[in-house]
Structure formats: C-alpha cells, structure tokens
Amino acid sequence: NAGVTQTPKFQVLKTGQSMTLQCAQDMNHNSMYWYRQDPGMGLRLIYYSASEGTTDKGEVPNGYNVSRLNKREFSLRLESAAPSQTSVYFCASSAATYTGELFFGEGSRLTVL
Amino acid sequence: KQEVTQIPAALSVPEGENLVLNCSFTDSAIYNLQWFRQDPGKGLTSLLLIQSSQREQTSGRLNASLDKSSGRSTLYIAASQPGDSATYLCAVDTWGAQKLVFGQGTRLTINP
C-alpha cells in the first residue's frame, strides 16, 4: 500500500539549474498539494490541485510551476533554482475536493548551492 | 489571515505521564482542524481530524478537543510511551481559504 510516493528523496542542484519533483498517489484522491517545510517557517503551501486539470497558487508559488498530469500525478518544477529554494518538499493528497484528511509523502530534501 | 500557534515548542516528560499539547488559532470560522505526527526525516501522518461541528475525536490513547469560540484545540496523550516521541503539528482549514494553515509544531520527547 504505497499511498503518496515522491521522487527523488534527495537532490543537490547548482543555482540556475532546473529540476522536477514527482509525486504520485494510489488512493484515487481528488486533491493534491505541494508544501515546503523550513526551520522556523513551518509548512507552507506552494501549489495545489483540487481536481484533475486544475491548479491554484498557494502561499509561496514564486519560482515554481506545477502540472497535474492525471488524477494520480502532480509534479513540481523549479525552472531556475535559487539557494532560497533549499528546503524539504512534501506532496500530499486528500479525497475531498478541498482539504479533508491529508496524506503526506516522505518528502524530498533539496539543496541548492 | 488565519494564524496557528503551538506552545510550547518543545516538551520533555517521563514515560507514563498523561500530557496535553496546545494549539490556538485566530479565526474561529474553521472548517476542520487536524493533528499530525512527524517523525525525524519523515512525512506527516494524520492522527485526528475534527470537523467544525464536533467537540472532540478519539483514537486509542489520543483525544483531541476543539473549542472554536476560544480558538483552541488540545491533543491529550494518555500513558505516554517513548514511541510517542515526535513532533506534533496542528493545522486549520478556514471556510473559504481552501487550504490548511499549519502551526510550527511541538517537539515531544518521552524519557524512559
């Protein structure tokens, strides 16, 4: 029972490089989310997708893009990575169209040098 | 703007004690409140979800209460065990916001 799967788990980038974080859920959930977690800042919402085909900005969307590829998959792309994007990124999903009980992936630790 | 506060930031207690973790929020027009557990280097695990119409929820040794009028929720852990050591976060969903706002968490250590 995989739940929410994120890849990669660890990544080191140089400033200006691009990368995509992948997220997939196998619970047939409608909503998916990308959060970042930073010491002293807590968890902050980057983008979310209430249903397949829709995406919306969260609290800290600048520097990121997302794609809801299908109902299972929601990817987060950093087009030109900056040191300020060093963080732990979490993908989450919920059955409800908006929030409801959230299920989280294990996280992706990104370091931008 | 909804703000969620958890005090204390860290708590250390001996094994076997009953304990209470606190969560306060500024906007009482909430849709639901969730408590999560996070182990070091891991994702968050949902523990309890309380709908706005509910006063409390229970799961095993955990009991969460909600008082919307005072903007407070508590997570009660009975007969604490070393395996309960983790960071506990609360998160609030406010009507119309369509997203959860998280507290900073309380890092709990249970000493054998």
Side-chain angles (χ1 to χ4, degrees):
Chain A
N1 210 8
V4 179
T5 304
Q6 293 181 230
T7 56
K9 289 186 172 12
F10 300 94
Q11 184 73 48
V12 179
L13 292 177
K14 294 181 180 179
T15 297
Q17 288 185 318
S18 63
M19 76 159 298
T20 300
L21 300 177
Q22 306 285 355
C23 175
Q25 51 90 9
D26 62 2
M27 297 172 281
N28 200 36
H29 283 173
N30 289 314
S31 300
M32 298 185 73
Y33 310 82
W34 276 106
Y35 287 89
R36 60 178 289 175
Q37 186 175 38
D38 303 288
M41 302 294 291
L43 272 148
R44 292 178 292 170
L45 182 64
I46 305 170
Y47 270 94
Y48 64 100
S49 171
S51 62
E52 185 179 354
T54 68
T55 61
D56 288 286
K57 295 178 180 180
E59 185 181 356
V60 288
N62 290 345
Y64 306 95
N65 286 303
V66 291
S67 295
R68 183 75 182 267
L69 304 171
N70 48 55
K71 193 171 186 179
R72 290 187 65 249
E73 298 173 289
F74 189 39
S75 62
L76 178 71
R77 182 161 178 84
L78 286 70
E79 291 290 353
S80 178
S84 61
Q85 295 177 304
T86 294
S87 186
V88 181
Y89 292 85
F90 288 100
C91 178
S93 70
S94 68
T97 301
Y98 289 109
T99 58
E101 185 179 8
L102 253 60
F103 294 81
F104 280 81
E106 292 281 286
S108 299
R109 185 175 296 273
L110 175 66
T111 301
V112 183
L113 302 175
Chain B
K1 178 185 174 186
Q2 180 73 267
E3 294 181 1
V4 180
T5 304
Q6 293 184 250
I7 296 174
L11 182 64
S12 181
V13 301
E15 180 178 4
E17 280 202 3
N18 302 325
L19 59 98
V20 173
L21 304 181
N22 297 299
C23 172
S24 62
F25 47 93
T26 56
D27 186 347
S28 62
I30 68 169
Y31 183 64
N32 63 49
L33 182 146
Q34 298 184 49
W35 282 94
F36 295 88
R37 168 185 173 137
Q38 185 176 27
D39 293 291
K42 300 292 187 181
L44 281 70
T45 300
S46 179
L47 297 173
L48 291 163
L49 182 152
I50 310 177
Q51 300 288 357
S52 61
S53 59
Q54 298 175 316
R55 297 280 295 180
E56 64 179 317
Q57 280 281 7
T58 298
S59 176
R61 293 182 295 107
L62 305 180
N63 175 276
S65 68
L66 174 63
D67 184 344
K68 286 192 302 180
S69 61
S70 66
R72 297 179 66 180
S73 176
T74 61
L75 180 66
Y76 175 83
I77 302 176
S80 58
Q81 303 170 357
D84 294 330
S85 297
T87 296
Y88 291 80
L89 299 99
C90 70
V92 174
D93 184 13
T94 309
W95 282 102
Q98 300 168 351
K99 63 181 179 73
L100 287 178
V101 176
F102 283 82
Q104 299 266 355
T106 294
R107 187 173 69 253
L108 177 65
T109 303
I110 307 299
N111 301 303

